[in-house]
Amino acid sequence: MCIREIKEIAAVPIYTFMSALAVVVGVGCQAIVGMALGNKDYVKAHSAFRTAFWSLLVLALAMGGVFVLAAEPLCRFLGANEALVPYTVSYVRAFSLFFPFMLLTFLCDYMLKAMGRPCFAMFVLGGTVALNLFLNLLFVGVLGWATAGSGLATGMAFASGFAVMAPTLLKKDSLVCLRKGHFSFKLLGKMTYNGSSEGFSELSAGITVFLFNWVMMKNWGEVGVAAFTAINYMLNLGVQMFVGLSDGIVPVLSFNYGAGHLNRVKETLFLGFKTNVTIGIILFCVMFFGNEFVVSQFFADGGGNVLNITSVGAAVCAFAFLLNGSNILSSSFFTSLGDARTSVLVSLQRGLLFVVLGIMIYPVFLGDNGVWLTVPLAELFTFVSSIYLLRNRLKRWLVNVACS
């Protein structure tokens, strides 16, 4: 029995769902805390963190209990057959016990970055990943605990990461302290709403992958699905780089916006754009000019049909790298200012609206290969929209400065 197969069925959707919840609350909390610290409203910063912490803890305990009790029907729903059910159930039940540590580790990571300690946060998360790999080798490879051991390994790694981060956030003299402030449903609503764009991004990604797989199966069969899987993997590598950079900028933007330093906000934003454009050009060159070599790494047998389809798709989709970094940063920018509505608009345009329209329209007029234009054109249309929204925001700042 292959542990990787079990985790593809059980771990990926469950991990994605739970991490999405942590991201929605964590990103929203980070923006509120950043603006509060910039405005020197430390009570609000403490209260936002306290609210996010207890909300995620209660949610994780409730979800963990449900997943433990309903593990078998859940695994069947996710696609496990009779042979896989015992193994997937063991994994889910072991992993679900550690949901609180997983969600709170993500939250603490956001808080440490908001406090100006990104290196410490990166070190702890990197150590968590390394510990997860080591414990998987120990529990599964050496002790033979199979899928239950893999679930325990991941859970214990998150528990260790939280144990390292928590003391910093419990100190009374900490810039943001869990022991201070008070729980606020009002702040919970604000942070959930503000972080919703990231949640919509996760949901949109799942929907678009499903639609692409449906179109690929219809046009080219399993070969088309394999081609899209390889291209989507390459695109996601670049997207995660842009997401990481944008997430790192959010606390800087929030703090300076809260402090009223609008010039610093603009300088940071433009620096982020320059960095993302530079990275995007490099990724474009690699994927466009070296697509045949890159694609060949995904298919050991070098099948001519799948290789040709994927090479064409990779060359076309490479143009998305020139713009998707800017679009991701634009969405994060509005999130950092507490403007969730505009952030959601940008995320839905690039992740769902223009993608769905493209999948429906381009193949009809341009043939099967027209589907590859969906991703770069979705980024292009979103870029035009986001530039318009950004210019309006900057103009309003200039008017406010002139009137003050």
Side-chain angles (χ1 to χ4, degrees):
M1 181 55 59
C2 178
I3 299 295
R4 181 179 179 181
E5 182 180 2
I6 302 299
K7 295 179 80 170
E8 283 293 324
I9 294 174
V12 173
I14 291 175
Y15 181 89
T16 300
F17 175 72
M18 295 305 296
S19 61
L21 294 176
V23 167
V24 168
V25 176
V27 169
C29 180
Q30 183 187 52
I32 292 176
V33 168
M35 286 185 285
L37 292 177
N39 199 33
K40 300 189 184 301
D41 188 350
Y42 299 109
V43 174
K44 185 175 183 180
H46 299 319
S47 298
F49 178 40
R50 188 180 184 92
T51 299
F53 182 92
W54 289 110
S55 297
L56 285 179
L57 178 59
V58 172
L59 180 63
L61 289 172
M63 295 300 296
V66 169
F67 278 36
V68 168
L69 296 175
E72 184 171 340
L74 173 66
C75 292
R76 293 183 185 277
F77 174 76
L78 293 175
N81 56 26
E82 291 299 326
L84 297 179
V85 163
Y87 301 96
T88 53
V89 168
S90 296
Y91 182 88
V92 169
R93 285 178 172 163
F95 183 43
S96 298
L97 297 174
F98 295 90
F99 278 174
F101 296 110
M102 173 186 170
L103 268 63
L104 295 179
T105 297
F106 284 134
L107 176 63
C108 290
D109 173 68
Y110 285 119
M111 290 302 97
L112 288 171
K113 288 187 288 189
M115 294 166 55
R117 303 193 63 182
C119 293
F120 177 57
M122 180 181 68
F123 173 78
V124 176
L125 277 187
T128 300
V129 173
L131 181 61
N132 183 23
L133 294 173
F134 171 76
L135 292 178
N136 265 282
L137 290 174
L138 176 62
F139 293 164
V140 179
V142 178
L143 300 179
W145 291 356
T147 53
S150 183
L152 286 173
T154 302
M156 291 177 66
F158 275 117
S160 300
F162 174 72
V164 175
M165 291 179 175
T168 300
L169 298 164
L170 286 171
K171 295 178 180 178
K172 286 188 176 181
D173 60 347
S174 178
L175 191 60
V176 180
C177 179
L178 179 63
R179 298 164 65 182
K180 298 179 181 179
H182 58 276
F183 186 93
S184 170
F185 282 105
K186 183 178 180 180
L187 286 175
L188 177 61
K190 285 184 177 180
M191 66 181 65
T192 303
Y193 176 61
N194 197 34
S196 60
S197 63
E198 280 69 21
F200 278 120
S201 295
E202 293 287 334
L203 179 62
S204 298
I207 295 174
T208 54
V209 167
F210 170 78
L211 291 175
F212 262 109
N213 283 335
W214 179 77
V215 172
M216 294 299 154
M217 181 63 73
K218 179 183 176 182
N219 292 349
W220 290 298
E222 294 180 356
V223 172
V225 174
F228 171 70
T229 301
I231 292 173
N232 191 49
Y233 182 80
M234 289 185 280
L235 289 173
N236 277 332
L237 286 177
V239 166
Q240 292 307 312
M241 294 177 65
F242 295 132
V243 168
L245 188 144
S246 298
D247 283 349
I249 287 178
V250 167
V252 179
L253 294 172
S254 297
F255 179 88
N256 284 288
Y257 181 70
H261 302 314
L262 300 186
N263 285 334
R264 292 183 183 177
V265 173
K266 289 189 289 185
E267 290 173 1
T268 304
L269 177 64
F270 293 147
L271 177 61
F273 275 127
K274 292 177 183 177
T275 305
N276 276 355
V277 168
T278 301
I279 295 174
I281 292 173
I282 295 173
L283 293 175
F284 165 77
C285 292
V286 171
M287 192 164 170
F288 183 81
F289 295 107
N291 65 83
E292 292 186 3
F293 172 76
V294 174
V295 166
S296 66
Q297 307 307 305
F298 289 88
F299 306 105
D301 57 359
N305 194 24
V306 66
L307 199 61
N308 290 335
I309 294 173
T310 312
S311 295
V312 171
V316 176
C317 290
F319 286 92
F321 284 133
L322 299 176
L323 298 173
N324 56 6
S326 298
N327 291 333
I328 291 169
L329 180 58
S330 295
S331 178
S332 296
F333 169 73
F334 289 112
T335 296
S336 68
L337 307 187
D339 188 353
R341 183 174 59 181
T342 306
S343 180
V344 168
L345 176 61
V346 175
S347 295
L348 286 182
Q349 283 179 342
R350 66 173 295 270
L352 188 63
L353 176 61
F354 292 130
V355 172
V356 172
L357 291 175
I359 289 175
M360 294 171 59
I361 296 173
Y362 303 145
V364 175
F365 295 99
L366 301 174
D368 292 344
N369 281 322
V371 71
W372 299 122
L373 288 170
T374 299
V375 175
L377 287 182
E379 298 292 355
L380 174 61
F381 297 145
T382 303
F383 179 76
V384 173
S385 173
S386 62
I387 291 299
Y388 172 79
L389 294 169
L390 285 169
R391 286 185 63 185
N392 281 351
R393 173 58 66 118
L394 295 177
K395 283 182 179 179
R396 270 186 282 167
W397 284 354
L398 291 174
V399 171
N400 291 335
V401 170
C403 294
S404 60

